Each structure stands twice: as structure tokens, then as C-alpha cells.
Amino acid sequence: MVEKVDHIGVAVNNIDDALKFYTENLGMECKDVEEVPQQKVKVAFLPVGESKIELLEPSSDESPVKKFLDKKGEGVHHIALHVDNIEKKLEELKNKGVKLIDEEPRDGAHGAKIAFIHPKSTGGTLVELCQKRN
């Protein structure tokens, strides 16, 4: 079951520059900046109610976020939906013929389990499923 919008991922060239807009102009507070080596990104989280804005800066030229920035420029990269059982949800989607980027969860920021659904199955939006580890 999808429980809520966990976060909206925004690809940026420089987290420090991007954070200035959110903190100085909107009065938001950055709760955490973290390196996620498996994803080849540095991330910053800004809470908004029950959800967050996640700023994504590539930490390598091989980062998928770097490829996104080179192709599309800065902007919304993905929408992340929180699920209660990511393995079960992936199996359900796979059985329905949904094109998945990740058929098995992988490690994300804050130790969460994450998996991406291919934009070809979602009408063009990269959708991430995430589940917090217990």
C-alpha cells in the first residue's frame, strides 16, 4: 500500500547553492546532508509537513543524476512514494507488467530500501518506492 508522498527529488548542480534558495527565501530548514555512494549522489533533505524535498547533487560523472542534469538541466528528478512493504509492492507491479528499473530494493539515503519504476510505465515520471528500515 502506498502510504504517502515521501519526498520529491530535485536534481541540482550544487547543493549549497540550491539550499540558499530554500533556506533564505522560503525559510525552510535543511535537516540532513548525506553522501549515498551506491547512488553516486550527495543529498540534502528539507522537511515540508509529512514529506520532504530532496536535493540531489551528483558525486561522480557516472551518477544517473549527472546524466539527468546533462540531458535536462536542474529540476524535478523523481517523486518518491512511501510503501509499507517494498518487496511485496515490487512483486505486485512486476506481475502487472509494470516496467521496473529495480526488481529488488537497494540502499538509499537514511538507510531506506528504495526501488525505481521506469518512466515508460508511469506516463513519463520517474517514480521511486521507498521503505524505511526497521
Side-chain angles (χ1 to χ4, degrees):
M1 177 173 153
V2 174
E3 297 178 337
K4 66 178 181 176
V5 173
D6 187 81
H7 64 270
I8 298 171
V10 179
V12 299
N13 289 310
N14 183 290
I15 278 184
D16 294 329
D17 291 344
L19 277 172
K20 286 179 187 175
F21 169 76
Y22 291 96
T23 59
E24 293 176 9
N25 295 303
L26 298 178
M28 296 173 73
E29 185 178 343
C30 176
K31 289 292 185 182
D32 188 26
V33 177
E34 177 182 346
E35 190 86 24
V36 186
Q38 185 181 18
Q39 304 296 323
K40 299 179 178 92
V41 292
K42 181 168 125 180
V43 298
F45 286 96
L46 300 123
V48 181
E50 288 188 8
S51 300
K52 299 172 278 305
I53 293 176
E54 176 189 39
L55 303 177
L56 302 138
E57 175 188 318
S59 59
S60 163
D61 285 341
E62 289 79 43
S63 168
V65 173
K66 172 73 168 133
K67 293 175 180 123
F68 176 91
L69 287 165
D70 289 345
K71 185 176 180 181
K72 297 186 178 187
E74 292 184 311
V76 174
H77 180 262
H78 67 271
I79 297 172
L81 304 174
H82 185 269
V83 295
D84 57 357
N85 186 327
I86 195 167
E87 288 87 357
K88 182 178 178 183
K89 181 54 71 181
L90 288 170
E91 190 64 30
E92 288 173 10
L93 292 169
K94 190 172 161 181
N95 290 338
K96 291 179 179 181
V98 174
K99 184 174 174 69
L100 302 173
I101 293 173
D102 302 301
E103 292 191 12
E104 298 292 327
R106 51 185 158 138
D107 296 331
H110 297 132
K113 295 192 287 187
I114 65 168
F116 286 92
I117 302 169
H118 200 286
K120 288 182 179 178
S121 289
T122 66
T125 301
L126 181 61
V127 174
E128 175 186 1
L129 301 177
C130 60
Q131 177 186 347
K132 303 294 183 229
R133 291 195 191 266
N134 296 329

